[in-house]
């Protein structure tokens, strides 16, 4: 394919090392061949006018454009194959005018471009003593993140990243610059936030309400590390389940548990850990002075006050930290501004393991997980893949409480966004990385998880409830729409909006999108 005349940014065609480097995304290691993530042209626009030219060219040639900001979508949905085009916004809008903070009527707001990573965005807010709920992967970029929700540590206490959006600045299918709000186009605003990410137009900037540290004085957090064993894991998951099953559990608390196989780069989560580990556990270091990281459990626990009379229940933290091998900071449960705590929760590694993967993210609305014995089941399933030595499979699991009637994830239902499964009580991610030789082992392990956890007799959820950011399985979204959206009425509404926003098919670069209405 020829390059596009008039583009001021970079353009890359297949057959060069630069092209191979630029086309790489998180999903390449697993789906690069199976799903042909090889666009005919990669465009890195410098301006909105470059985007207009790209869309015009695609319309003339009757091809599609895949939009990428960070390329972290697990199934490869932010990529495409020839003859389509990859529109790469990762470096497009990073000037001084591409982000700003302002206050109005005692509230704080941020206007930002989509080209910043989550780590950069978090650091910028922290410098200004501000915060917002968001995810935990540092290299995720906020353009895709905001469209798929922005699930993270603060989801119970503050809701989703996308719940805080006030306006979206887009380039539409005809090359028009538009600001989309609940007032100007409520259907399109709704669909952009949780409907069909990347398939409705090109978001370049958005404005979001953020929170001020000064309004939440006394917030506290704890990050604790445990060497892996099933007794500890069961005790911690019991606490998580107890919290999840209690519909009246206070909004103030957030809890997340991660389980990591050996060889996980724990220093990326805990930069000061190496010095402590060398003193406390010299037996883990080889003759070359390099540590062989053991299997670990890491817990993220947080409390934030919302009213003057709110009092932290330290016994909750005490139960969690029992038997911990390492606590972040000097005081076990640190009193810290929320903007700093949000930085503590971020994973600083680019990806969990440098291997292909078989990923799963399940959600449930069950309030009887304790009675149903799910904690025992999930501990046994985790142990089946983590315990064996040298099985050439590596687990990255994350279990988090989202639910209860006080949860802002639930209370934000009906706020003008399309994010699904607002009644979620627990989210459970179990990602199994593997070598080329052990792919069958990883797939067999996940097959048992699917069969036993999900479905009418499932111990975790009676319904298959997936999230767009953690998609897996069938790449044809239309074939599995009911795993991502609550009902047919919602899906058909999205289909109609897709038809209006993408009449020429420019924003339909692969099968993982809401099918346009006929």
């Amino acid at each position: 394919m020829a390059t596009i005349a008039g583009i001021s940014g970079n353009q890359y065609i297949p057959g060069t090392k630069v092209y191979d480097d630029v086309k790489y995304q998180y999903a390449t290691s697993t789906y690069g061949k199976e799903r042909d993530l090889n666009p005919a042209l990669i465009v890195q626009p410098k301006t909105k006018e470059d985007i207009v030219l790209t869309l015009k060219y695609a319309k003339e040639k009757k091809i599609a454009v895949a939009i990428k900001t960070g390329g972290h979508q697990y199934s490869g949905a932010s990529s495409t194959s020839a003859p389509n085009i990859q529109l790469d916004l990762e470096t497009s809008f990073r000037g001084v005018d591409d982000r700003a903070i302002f206050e109005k009527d005692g509230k704080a707001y941020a206007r930002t471009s989509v080209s910043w990573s989550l780590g950069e965005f978090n650091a910028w807010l922290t410098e200004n003593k501000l915060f917002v709920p968001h995810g935990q992967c540092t290299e995720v970029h906020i353009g895709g993140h905001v469209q798929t929700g922005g699930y993270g540590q603060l989801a119970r206490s503050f809701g989703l990243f996308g719940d805080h959006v006030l306006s979206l600045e887009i380039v539409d299918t005809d090359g028009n610059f538009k600001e989309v709000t609940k007032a100007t186009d409520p259907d399109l605003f709704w669909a952009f936030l949780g409907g069909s990410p990347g398939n409705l137009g090109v978001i370049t900037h958005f404005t979001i309400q953020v929170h001020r540290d000064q309004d939440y004085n006394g917030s506290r957090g704890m990050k604790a590390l445990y060497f892996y064993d099933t007794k500890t894991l069961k005790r911690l998951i019991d606490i998580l389940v107890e919290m999840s099953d209690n519909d009246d559990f206070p909004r103030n608390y957030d809890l997340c548990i991660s389980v990591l196989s050996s060889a996980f780069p724990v220093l990326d989560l805990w930069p000061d850990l190496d010095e402590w580990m060398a003193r406390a556990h010299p037996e883990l270091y080889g003759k070359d002075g390099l540590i062989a990281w053991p299997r670990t459990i890491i817990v993220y626990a947080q409390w934030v006050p919302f009213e003057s009379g709110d009092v932290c229940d330290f016994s909750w933290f005490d139960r969690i930290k029992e038997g911990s091998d390492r606590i972040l900071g000097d005081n076990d449960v640190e009193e810290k501004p929320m903007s700093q705590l949000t930085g503590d929760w971020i994973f600083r590694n680019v990806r969990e393991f440098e291997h292909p993967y078989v990923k799963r993210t399940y959600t449930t609305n069950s309030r009887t997980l304790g009675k149903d014995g799910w904690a025992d089941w999930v501990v046994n399933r985790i142990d089946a893949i983590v315990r064996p030595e040298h099985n050439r499979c590596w687990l990255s699991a994350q279990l988090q409480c989202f639910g209860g009637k006080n949860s802002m994830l639930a209370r934000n239902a009906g706020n003008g966004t399309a994010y699904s499964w607002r009644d979620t009580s627990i989210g459970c991610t179990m990602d199994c990385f593997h070598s080329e030789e052990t792919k069958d082992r990883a797939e067999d392990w996940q097959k048992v998880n699917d069969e036993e956890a999900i479905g009418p007799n499932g111990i975790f959820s009676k319904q298959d409830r997936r999230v767009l950011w953690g998609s897996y399985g069938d790449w044809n979204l239309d074939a599995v729409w009911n795993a991502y959206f609550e009902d047919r009425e919602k899906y058909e509404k999205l289909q109609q909006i897709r038809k209006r926003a993408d009449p020429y098919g420019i924003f339909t670069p692969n099968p993982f999108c809401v099918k346009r209405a006929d």
Side-chain angles (χ1 to χ4, degrees), residues 90-262:
E90 185 169 351
T91 60
S92 298
F93 304 108
R94 296 175 60 86
V96 293
D97 295 329
D98 287 311
R99 60 184 186 183
I101 290 167
F102 59 97
E103 289 200 13
K104 182 179 180 181
D105 300 328
K107 295 181 179 180
Y109 304 88
R111 177 185 178 268
T112 178
S113 80
V114 298
S115 299
W116 306 102
S117 72
L118 190 58
E120 292 170 323
F121 181 72
N122 173 270
W124 175 60
L125 289 183
T126 301
E127 289 172 5
N128 290 278
K129 300 181 180 180
L130 300 169
F131 70 96
V132 70
H134 55 58
Q136 291 162 284
C137 298
T138 188
E139 285 301 317
V140 165
H141 280 55
I142 60 177
H145 195 55
V146 75
Q147 292 180 74
T148 55
Y151 289 73
Q153 175 71 7
L154 280 64
R156 279 195 82 254
S157 50
F158 289 93
L160 302 178
F161 184 47
D163 288 337
H164 291 66
V165 172
L166 299 178
S167 71
L168 304 165
E169 297 170 42
I170 74 164
V171 182
D172 74 8
T173 188
D174 291 312
N176 301 310
F177 304 151
K178 290 183 177 179
E179 183 177 17
V180 179
T181 69
K182 293 179 190 178
T184 61
D185 194 334
D187 282 353
L188 190 58
F189 183 87
W190 174 80
F192 259 112
L193 300 176
S196 194
N199 308 128
L200 298 159
V202 184
I203 301 178
T204 63
H205 299 75
F206 58 91
T207 298
I208 191 166
Q209 183 177 348
V210 293
H211 300 281
R212 305 182 301 180
D213 282 343
Q214 68 192 59
D215 297 325
Y216 303 94
N217 290 323
S219 54
R220 299 174 184 274
M222 180 183 77
K223 184 160 68 171
L225 178 146
Y226 311 76
F227 293 130
Y228 174 84
D229 70 74
T230 53
K231 182 179 179 181
T232 298
L233 182 59
K234 173 61 163 55
R235 181 181 65 80
L236 292 169
I237 293 178
D238 280 342
I239 296 172
L240 185 79
V241 168
E242 178 184 308
M243 179 179 177
S244 174
D245 283 352
N246 181 357
D247 206 41
D248 295 316
F249 205 89
R251 171 190 171 190
N252 313 71
Y253 298 86
D254 287 284
L255 179 61
C256 176
I257 301 168
S258 291
V259 184
L260 304 166
S261 287
S262 58

Side-chain angles (χ1 to χ4, degrees), residues 330-344:
D330 300 324
N331 300 311
D332 289 1
V333 182
E334 290 195 308
E335 182 174 336
K336 264 188 176 183
M338 283 299 300
S339 64
Q340 294 180 29
L341 283 176
T342 57
D344 288 341

